């Protein structure tokens, strides 16, 4: 890690509301958790009196089944961001360049810079079209699917084609799939290419952001490098036990996907009464507030008891907010806080 980058760097703003009296629609986490999580966590307490099994066999097996790969390719990490850092610190050296999408997750550029490398920004929806002349000078390329904050998921075939071009250019491809579990699209972990690293987060899909559980998937020498470089006991016993439990809850995942898809469409249609809403495959919607003042929109929502995300902190977005898709009750509170007209109970369109 580059000491100069640390001394001159800044923290990246994120969603997440500390005021427990507010409904938090600024963070894109599931408002529900799988049944049995509390029991799994409690059962892990006694086991926490010993160090974890650093091989994490049960967790790796559950993660592998979830994304469709072999358990030996899974590298446990304390959250998806830890997987991203691990991938970058093993792929980048001072002076390298890395392709970073925008507008997208702000931690990518920060993590690149912390390694003493330089981010080369590319529009997120142009990234997978890049050819050899752009790829060859770059040690790393980052893709986010679905992209945060826009919500676009990359077509798996297009991403596989891009991965092949990255391989030809000897560019490591890091695919952040933090929100892919909210969709039924296949993971890049199924591709099994040595230069590809997939980063996954459990805590968003399973509604446990404070647990800090995730993993990376890689193959060959890249996997060996990640496994050697990761910290020992990188998952605490409660995170490993609860994570394993959650990854096996197939019915919960299917219910979540169906609810998010239905509620996202309902929210989108309602929000379009006031805002320009970006199409999304993710559990959030990016809204252009137009000539309204973003700060006023956010403050008015807070006054009504709801926290939403200031999206102007994302590169090139200067009139946007991002809202999370929760359950119906929470989503109705969000709409009311944003001053969106609620349909009357006798409106025939209400239940469509």
């Amino acid at each position: 890690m580059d000491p100069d980058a640390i001394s001159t760097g800044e923290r990246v703003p994120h969603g997440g509301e500390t005021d427990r009296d507010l409904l938090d629609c600024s963070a894109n986490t599931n408002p529900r958790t799988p049944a049995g999580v509390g029991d799994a966590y409690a059962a892990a307490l006694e086991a926490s009196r010993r160090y974890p099994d650093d091989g994490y066999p049960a967790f790796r097996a559950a993660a592998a089944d979830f994304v469709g790969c072999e358990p030996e390719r899974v590298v446990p990490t304390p959250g998806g961001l830890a997987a991203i850092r691990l991938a970058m610190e093993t792929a980048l050296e001072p002076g390298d360049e890395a392709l970073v999408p925008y507008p997208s997750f702000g931690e990518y550029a920060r993590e690149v810079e912390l390694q003493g490398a330089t981010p080369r920004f590319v529009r997120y929806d142009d990234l997978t079209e890049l050819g050899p002349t752009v790829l060859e000078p770059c040690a790393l390329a980052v893709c986010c699917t679905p992209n945060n904050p826009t919500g676009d998921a990359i077509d798996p075939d297009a991403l596989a084609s891009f991965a092949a071009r990255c391989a030809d250019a000897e560019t490591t491809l890091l695919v952040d799939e933090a929100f892919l579990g909210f969709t039924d699209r296949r993971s890049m972990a199924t591709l099994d290419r040595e230069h590809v690293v997939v980063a996954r987060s459990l805590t968003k899909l399973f509604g446990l952001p404070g647990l800090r559980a995730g993993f990376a998937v890689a193959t060959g020498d890249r996997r060996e490098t990640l496994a050697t470089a990761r910290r020992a006991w990188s998952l605490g016993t409660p995170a490993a036990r609860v994570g394993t439990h959650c990854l096996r809850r197939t019915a919960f995942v299917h219910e979540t996907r169906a609810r998010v898809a239905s509620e996202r469409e309902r929210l989108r249609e309602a929000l379009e009464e006031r805002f320009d809403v970006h199409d999304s495959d993710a559990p959030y919607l990016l809204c252009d507030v137009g000539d309204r003042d973003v700060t006023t929109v956010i403050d008015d929502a807070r006054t009504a008891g709801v926290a939403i995300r200031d999206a102007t902190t994302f590169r090139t977005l200067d009139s946007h907010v991002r809202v999370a898709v929760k359950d119906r009750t929470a989503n109705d509170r969000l709409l009311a806080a944003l001053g969106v007209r609620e349909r009357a109970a006798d409106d025939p369109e209400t239940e469509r």
Side-chain angles (χ1 to χ4, degrees):
M1 196 168 289
D2 183 6
D4 291 336
I6 296 172
S7 64
T8 59
E10 297 179 352
R11 303 289 289 179
V12 174
H14 295 283
E17 177 55 52
T18 57
D19 187 343
R20 298 302 178 91
D21 292 330
L22 295 178
L23 171 64
D24 188 4
C25 291
S26 70
N28 309 311
T29 56
N30 196 338
R32 301 175 184 175
T33 57
V37 162
D39 291 339
Y41 195 97
L45 180 59
E46 181 61 27
S48 298
R49 295 170 62 86
R50 292 176 176 266
Y51 284 105
D53 178 346
D54 196 45
Y56 299 99
F59 179 85
R60 289 170 57 213
D65 286 345
F66 191 80
V67 297
C69 72
E70 299 76 26
E72 57 268 21
R73 296 179 56 215
V74 174
V75 180
T77 60
L81 183 54
I84 290 169
R85 172 170 288 185
L86 182 63
M88 289 192 180
E89 66 187 359
T90 56
L92 293 172
E93 297 180 356
D96 282 345
E97 282 192 336
L99 293 170
V100 174
Y102 78 89
S104 197
F105 189 39
E107 292 285 357
Y108 302 142
R110 177 175 183 264
E111 292 293 336
V112 168
E113 290 168 347
L114 286 176
Q115 305 310 319
T118 301
R120 184 172 177 180
F121 291 100
V122 180
R123 276 280 307 183
Y124 76 95
D125 44 0
D126 292 335
L127 189 63
T128 57
E129 302 300 321
L130 297 178
T133 56
V134 178
L135 289 172
E136 286 173 0
C138 297
L140 178 78
V142 183
C143 285
C144 181
T145 181
N147 187 53
N148 178 16
T150 61
D152 311 59
I154 304 172
D155 177 76
D157 292 335
L159 193 49
S161 177
F162 181 61
R165 295 197 301 278
C166 286
D168 291 341
E170 299 184 350
T171 300
T172 298
L173 175 60
L174 171 60
V175 185
D176 182 1
E177 296 181 349
F179 296 101
L180 195 67
F182 288 91
T183 80
D184 58 5
R185 293 175 182 250
R186 71 177 185 269
S187 170
M188 283 292 287
T190 62
L191 197 60
D192 198 9
R193 286 185 178 271
E194 185 164 338
H195 69 290
V196 174
V197 179
V198 173
R200 297 287 299 221
S201 167
L202 273 66
T203 50
K204 298 172 179 66
L205 178 61
F206 298 111
L208 295 165
L211 192 67
R212 308 316 305 148
F215 56 95
V217 179
T219 196
D221 290 344
R222 177 63 58 190
R223 186 267 169 197
E224 293 304 312
T225 298
L226 296 175
T228 301
R230 77 168 175 90
R231 299 197 320 263
W233 311 301
S234 51
L235 279 185
T237 298
R241 295 280 185 91
V242 173
T244 301
H245 174 84
C246 289
L247 287 163
R248 298 293 191 192
R249 307 278 77 82
T250 303
F252 174 86
V253 172
H254 289 162
E255 181 279 328
T256 294
R257 289 172 178 171
R259 170 173 48 82
V260 168
S262 175
E263 282 297 295
R264 183 177 59 227
E265 179 61 17
R266 188 176 73 91
L267 270 182
R268 185 187 63 78
E269 289 184 357
L271 289 168
E272 283 181 341
E273 294 181 9
R274 292 197 69 197
F275 310 121
D276 183 11
V277 184
H278 193 89
D279 286 340
S280 175
D281 300 298
Y284 45 86
L285 291 166
L286 181 67
C287 303
D288 187 341
V289 305
D291 58 3
R292 301 175 183 86
D293 180 65
V294 170
T295 301
T296 300
V297 172
I298 293 170
D299 288 347
D300 288 348
R302 288 185 71 88
T303 299
V306 178
I308 62 175
R309 176 71 155 89
D310 180 358
T312 64
T313 60
F314 291 93
R315 191 179 184 90
T316 72
L317 299 183
D318 56 7
S319 60
H320 294 73
V321 297
R322 190 193 67 196
V323 298
V325 179
K326 303 293 187 180
D327 58 26
R328 178 170 285 261
T329 300
N331 293 335
D332 285 344
R333 285 184 59 190
L334 169 66
L335 292 176
L338 291 174
V340 175
R341 179 180 64 86
E342 295 185 37
R343 291 192 175 100
D346 59 353
D347 187 333
E349 293 292 300
T350 299
E351 298 300 329
R352 66 174 188 160

